Structure formats: C-alpha cells, structure tokens
Amino acid sequence: MIRNVLELGHPKLREIAQEVAQDEFGSTEILQLIEDLIDTMRARHGAGIAATQIGIAKRVFVIEVNDNPRYPYKPKIPLTVLVNPQLRILGDETVSVIEGCLSVPDLRGRVERFAQVELTAMTPEGQPLTLRARGLSAGTLQHELDHLDGLLFTDRLESSEHLYSKANYELFFAADFQRQAEAINKAYPEPIEITKHVWPSRPNNVS
Ligand code: ZN
C-alpha cells in the first residue's frame, strides 16, 4: 500500500527508530511494513525510503535505483531491504553531493558524505547481509541510515547557502552536478556489492 510520506517539520521524522526485535522477524507486521515501503518508494520515485518517513520508528529501510527520473546520475542498486543496519566507515575520503528527499519536498542540498562504507544488516527473514558501497551509492545509504536516527540532509548542510529550491537547482546547479556525479561514478566504478550470507555463517578462523 502506498503510504503518506511525512514531511520536514513532522516530529515523527525526528524520532530515533528502535531495533527490530528477534521475534518480529518474518512477522506479518514487519512484512507489511516492508511491502508498504517498497510500494511508496516506487510510487514516489525515491532512491530509498526509511520506516521513519512513514511514521514507523523501526530500524528498517529499503533502497532501489533503476533509471530514476529524480536522480538520473545514480548508479543502479537492486531492491534491497535492510533491517537493523549498522554502519562502518571505510577510510576518511568524502564526496560532496547534492541530495533530495521525499520528506523534504522541492528542495535539494549539498552535503558531504563518506565515500566508502560498509553496512551490515538483516534481511526481513533474519539472514545477515553485507553491503559495501562507494561514491554516490555510499551517500544514498548514509542518507537512509540518517533517517533512522531522526536526521535529514538539511541537518548536514555546511551553510544555508547549500540549500536550493528545486527550481534553482534545475536552473543553476543540475548541469554542474551531473558532471560532478559522473566524475564520482568514474572514480568509484564498483558502487555496490551485496553479500547475502548463508546462515549460520562463521569465519574460517573461528573454531
Ligand atoms: Zn530521505
């Protein structure tokens, strides 16, 4: 079901989401939540959407990038559901990107994101999952994870001058950013690596 997306100013966007408990995995409630997130993300052409954006304070987000009219420069990401994601930053390299958000309508903003990250998470069925992301895809993951901590991209602007109306973005910044985004894509040719682990997984060096 397509859900109403909460917008900037709504207090529920500021809630810190709670971890999904062990006995909630595979439950009708969680599976319904995930289905609604996917339907809503696709209907609104989001690159991702977090549960907090539809008013559910649980640590769940979904991402998917195909040919996205909102973000034509974003590398493809297959539909992926992340439950209880944990971030590891790989190196201190950053990229400067212009972001948009379904919860911040008609605005775009320039923010700094870590260029290489690893997220470990669970699938809705409770299987472990690792995502390594670089460049723009790394930014997308950090943006969604921020939602689970009650943060929006507008909280990460260096100054208010880095916030643009959609009209001004299109007029003055979109062409430049398209070129910058292409350079980032070139610098990080492997934007996403997703590893689903078979349960139980155990490193070889553990006995
Ligand atoms: Zn967002």
Side-chain angles (χ1 to χ4, degrees), residues 3-14 37 40-41 44-56 70-71 99-108 143-144 146-148 150-155 163:
R3 302 278 292 262
N4 181 39
V5 178
L6 306 183
E7 296 183 351
L8 184 66
H10 198 294
K12 279 192 182 262
L13 282 173
R14 298 313 193 168
L37 286 172
T40 310
M41 169 179 69
R44 299 284 306 273
H45 300 295
I49 193 170
T52 42
Q53 290 180 272
I54 60 167
I56 309 287
R70 277 172 62 86
Y71 311 104
E99 295 189 357
C101 179
L102 296 178
S103 294
V104 188
D106 300 324
L107 293 173
R108 297 276 172 126
H143 176 115
E144 297 311 328
D146 268 357
H147 277 300
L148 303 183
L151 291 170
L152 301 171
F153 78 77
T154 48
D155 301 316
L163 188 65

Side-chain angles (χ1 to χ4, degrees), residues 47-193:
I49 193 170
T52 42
Q53 290 180 272
I54 60 167
I56 309 287
K58 291 206 181 283
R59 299 191 81 80
V60 179
F61 72 77
V62 301
I63 46 166
E64 181 180 45
V65 183
N66 290 314
D67 294 312
N68 189 313
R70 277 172 62 86
Y71 311 104
Y73 42 79
K74 282 200 188 213
K76 287 185 171 45
I77 303 178
L79 176 65
T80 308
V81 180
L82 292 97
V83 181
N84 296 344
Q86 304 248 20
L87 176 71
R88 214 176 111 217
I89 295 156
L90 307 173
D92 48 17
E93 234 169 277
T94 60
V95 284
S96 172
V97 293
I98 294 180
E99 295 189 357
C101 179
L102 296 178
S103 294
V104 188
D106 300 324
L107 293 173
R108 297 276 172 126
R110 187 175 277 285
V111 296
E112 205 74 27
R113 295 290 188 186
F114 289 104
Q116 305 198 60
V117 300
E118 184 180 271
L119 260 79
T120 51
M122 291 296 205
T123 67
E125 296 79 28
Q127 301 288 317
L129 184 71
T130 306
L131 278 83
R132 273 195 175 218
R134 304 173 187 90
L136 297 180
S137 301
T140 301
L141 290 177
Q142 289 164 83
H143 176 115
E144 297 311 328
L145 193 64
D146 268 357
H147 277 300
L148 303 183
D149 293 320
L151 291 170
L152 301 171
F153 78 77
T154 48
D155 301 316
R156 295 202 180 269
L157 301 170
E158 231 171 77
S159 87
S160 56
E161 283 169 29
H162 290 165
L163 188 65
Y164 321 121
S165 73
K166 196 163 174 283
N168 280 346
Y169 169 74
E170 297 292 349
L171 264 175
F172 304 116
F173 300 98
D176 257 0
F177 183 59
Q178 176 79 32
R179 277 190 290 275
Q180 288 162 19
E182 278 160 19
I184 292 171
N185 290 341
K186 223 171 166 181
Y188 300 98
E190 282 183 273
I192 195 110
E193 253 174 86

